[in-house]
């Protein structure tokens, strides 16, 4: 009997509070322009112009990038993905 995808199972378990599942492959992350800018802020905050590198800092994401790099070397950049979803 095939097993469920662990990411799918976790999303199903959190379904009441979870929404907007998405994923990105390592090849896309590796090819991203990390110095491009975007506007960030909310209704009660002034807009700030930041680069992707400032928003997704290595101090917070470096370990994830390291693991994905190792997996991409072994399995190919098109075969490694980061799966995310958001909660309420």
């Amino acid at each position: 009997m095939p097993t469920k995808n662990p990411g799918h199972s976790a999303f199903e378990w959190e379904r009441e509070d979870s929404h907007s599942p998405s994923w990105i492959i390592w090849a896309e992350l590796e090819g991203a322009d990390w110095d491009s800018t975007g506007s960030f802020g909310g209704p009660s905050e002034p807009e700030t112009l930041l680069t992707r590198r400032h928003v997704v800092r290595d101090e917070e994401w470096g370990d994830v990038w390291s693991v994905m790099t190792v997996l991409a070397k072994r399995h190919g950049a098109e075969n490694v993905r980061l799966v995310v979803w958001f909660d309420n």
Side-chain angles (χ1 to χ4, degrees):
M1 179 170 172
T3 60
K4 277 187 163 182
N5 176 324
H8 179 73
S9 297
F11 178 74
E12 289 294 322
W13 181 72
E14 292 283 339
R15 178 152 277 201
E16 287 181 24
D17 291 327
S18 300
H19 60 88
S20 305
S22 187
W23 56 272
I24 188 168
I25 61 173
W26 179 245
E28 292 174 294
L29 286 167
E30 195 173 39
D33 178 1
W34 290 96
D35 294 314
S36 66
T37 57
S39 181
F40 297 89
S44 61
E45 305 171 345
E47 284 195 13
T48 305
L49 196 61
L50 297 171
T51 66
R52 289 179 178 166
R53 192 177 311 280
H54 285 110
V55 175
V56 184
R57 297 187 318 257
D58 278 341
E59 300 88 49
E60 296 172 352
W61 288 92
D63 292 338
V64 174
W65 305 152
S66 295
V67 169
M68 291 183 79
T69 299
V70 170
L71 291 171
K73 285 179 184 173
R74 181 174 178 114
H75 301 287
E78 298 287 327
N79 298 314
V80 177
R81 69 176 69 175
L82 176 64
V83 179
V84 299
W85 61 87
F86 303 90
D87 61 12
N88 295 328

